[in-house]
Amino acid sequence: MTLTLTGCGSGTGSGDDVTLKLIAADYGDSKSNGSQHYWDELARAFEKKNPGIKVDVEVYSWTDVDKKVEDLVKDGNAPDLAQIGAYADYAAKGQLYSADQLLNVTTQADFTPSLAEAGEYKRVQYGMPFGASTRRLFYNKKLFAQAGITAPPQTWDDIAHDAQLLKAHGVKMPFALPLGPEETQAETMQWMLSGGGGYTDSIGKYTIDSPENVKTFDWLQKNLVGKGLTGTDPAKLNRKDAFQGFADGDVGMLNGHPTLMKQAAARGIDYGTVELPGTHGKAKATMGVADWMMAFKQGGHRAQVGKFLDFVYSDKNVEKFSGDYGLLPVTTSASQAMQADDKYTELHGFLEQLPNAEFYPANKTSWPLISKTVKAKMGAAVDPRGNPAGVLTDIQNTADAADNTGE
């Protein structure tokens, strides 16, 4: 669904009289707090300070935004800026400005290092992080108390044990495992990391069917799904519905990101969060997610785009966006300000994890295809009648073929 559009922008202009076109993703959960409001306010403030530059913003849902940009680029009508989920494909085709061609030195140096690195294609930064989050395990304190559970889980065995107790006390969904098509690639990566695996190895080669990952999905199949502790078929459960179930008090535990805090608190849920449990203690790493801002060369508005981005990434604007949407700041200075502010105490645990978080392999041009493949197939890996190793090998074969042709 498209939110209110502010226009298409002229795309051209003489001298400094330019209209920049930005396509952005929607972070709101309703029309009243949609991202269009944030961008319209920010664009007007920028235009006031820079009379020769107008900024037109079109906001699309996450379901549609990547495809919208892809179509515009294919039609030879690339926007000046896009704030979407992946940048590497455009970088590989030479369609993007690099960050150092756009930003002043202070702005570029202020990105959290792990995020700046995740935005690099062939060691050059093209993806500028915009909105980040890490993951923690959320649990419903009231449901835990009713089931006689006195401490949150620290290991996978704890998760299975606590889920059994919650089920015995009538909890509809003891552990929500959203492997439905919406955001399967995230839930998958969290479990891979907590089992000591991941999508890739240290040199960026896909390791989807590694022994660690096979063991992880075997465990999920046998110990959670096979014992009826997920409450529903994970292949049909989307993250949005899992979050709603937690806010409704029907879910005992799930992996979540900061926006769930606001959603749960609004419904009066007394919850806690802990670092993701691993096989024998807390997971070695948590998943970090960053969305990306990128600037296309086609319009030729490098100077104006750079000026706008320096404004976008000012501390005040980064803090406002993060605060409005329950996300983590992508700059060191805004992160430090948030760490020092008691107003954001609940975000501090997520924020502390960000410097060492592991990210999707978004610097691989094959990643969008692999992400899509994971979304389509990973639910079958935990089906009690299925074969986890077979599903993972199937996805690995797709990844290998994509790497051989695309990298």
Side-chain angles (χ1 to χ4, degrees):
M1 197 178 95
T2 306
L3 295 191
T4 315
L5 303 184
T6 58
C8 292
S10 66
T12 58
S14 56
D16 209 30
D17 185 13
V18 158
T19 298
L20 300 178
K21 182 172 177 178
L22 165 62
I23 305 285
D26 191 11
Y27 289 85
D29 53 19
S30 66
K31 209 160 190 175
S32 63
N33 75 345
S35 298
Q36 191 76 51
H37 299 294
Y38 172 82
W39 283 113
D40 285 349
E41 201 178 300
L42 186 134
R44 300 303 81 85
F46 173 76
E47 288 167 357
K48 220 178 234 182
K49 290 186 176 184
N50 301 273
I53 311 172
K54 288 210 170 310
V55 184
D56 275 355
V57 187
E58 293 180 14
V59 172
Y60 291 86
S61 75
W62 273 109
T63 315
D64 301 326
V65 71
D66 289 279
K67 182 77 167 68
K68 176 67 183 172
V69 173
E70 189 185 315
D71 290 346
L72 286 170
V73 174
K74 269 186 192 156
D75 293 344
N77 189 23
D80 295 287
L81 290 151
Q83 184 269 299
I84 51 176
Y87 64 86
D89 214 21
Y90 301 119
K93 290 173 185 162
Q95 294 168 323
L96 302 179
Y97 288 117
S98 60
D100 61 358
Q101 290 177 304
L102 299 162
L103 304 171
N104 71 42
V105 176
T106 319
T107 305
Q108 192 179 359
D110 198 25
F111 287 129
T112 300
S114 59
L115 291 170
E117 196 179 316
E120 290 179 1
Y121 174 73
K122 297 200 169 168
R123 305 200 172 200
V124 176
Q125 186 183 359
Y126 294 95
M128 291 159 277
F130 189 87
S133 67
T134 57
R135 300 296 200 258
R136 289 169 75 81
L137 182 131
F138 283 68
Y139 63 99
N140 183 314
K141 289 183 176 179
K142 183 181 170 186
L143 297 181
F144 266 50
Q146 287 171 350
I149 306 165
T150 54
Q154 304 293 318
T155 66
W156 287 0
D157 284 348
D158 292 343
I159 287 177
H161 176 260
D162 294 349
Q164 288 280 17
L165 293 174
L166 290 164
K167 185 183 180 186
H169 277 75
V171 174
K172 276 190 197 170
M173 213 176 279
F175 194 102
L177 186 67
L179 292 173
E182 184 193 1
E183 209 195 31
T184 327
Q185 81 284 4
E187 190 71 18
T188 296
M189 184 169 171
Q190 289 164 84
W191 282 100
M192 284 176 168
L193 289 173
S194 64
Y199 280 120
T200 58
D201 61 18
S202 58
I203 57 165
K205 187 180 182 319
Y206 284 114
T207 53
I208 291 162
D209 63 351
S210 69
E212 292 86 358
N213 291 342
V214 170
K215 196 173 163 190
T216 294
F217 283 88
D218 269 337
W219 186 89
L220 284 169
Q221 183 201 52
K222 291 184 178 73
N223 294 281
L224 286 189
V225 185
K227 292 183 178 171
L229 300 178
T230 56
T232 187
D233 177 2
K236 295 192 174 120
L237 180 66
N238 279 327
R239 188 208 66 197
K240 188 178 179 185
D241 299 323
F243 277 21
Q244 189 58 53
F246 190 78
D248 290 342
D250 294 332
V251 172
M253 297 173 272
L254 79 171
N255 296 327
H257 54 63
T259 51
L260 180 55
M261 297 192 301
K262 201 180 268 188
Q263 199 176 338
R267 299 295 298 273
I269 299 295
D270 186 14
Y271 66 88
T273 74
V274 288
E275 288 184 57
L276 298 184
T279 44
H280 303 297
K282 66 183 182 186
K284 284 178 188 164
T286 188
M287 184 180 82
V289 172
D291 302 317
W292 303 103
M293 178 72 79
M294 62 212 69
F296 287 88
K297 290 176 178 175
Q298 190 187 333
H301 300 138
R302 182 167 73 93
Q304 295 91 342
V305 166
K307 203 177 271 192
F308 178 61
L309 287 175
D310 283 330
F311 183 75
V312 167
Y313 286 108
S314 67
D315 278 0
K316 186 183 93 173
N317 290 327
V318 172
E319 280 178 54
K320 177 167 170 43
F321 178 79
S322 305
D324 283 359
Y325 296 105
L327 291 161
L328 304 180
V330 296
T331 62
T332 303
S333 53
S335 294
Q336 287 167 346
M338 196 176 260
Q339 280 284 54
D341 192 337
D342 290 343
K343 186 168 76 174
Y344 297 112
T345 303
E346 288 193 312
L347 276 173
H348 290 173
F350 292 92
L351 203 48
E352 283 156 15
Q353 297 178 162
L354 190 57
N356 300 312
E358 294 199 16
F359 296 86
Y360 296 133
N363 59 339
K364 291 171 76 68
T365 56
S366 54
W367 172 242
L369 170 66
I370 304 316
S371 176
K372 215 180 281 183
T373 308
V374 168
K375 286 181 180 186
K377 297 184 174 178
M378 193 52 88
V382 296
D383 186 317
R385 297 151 303 179
N387 172 14
V391 173
L392 291 169
T393 299
D394 188 19
I395 300 171
Q396 178 72 38
N397 290 340
T398 303
D400 288 341
D403 266 3
N404 292 337
T405 55
E407 293 282 15

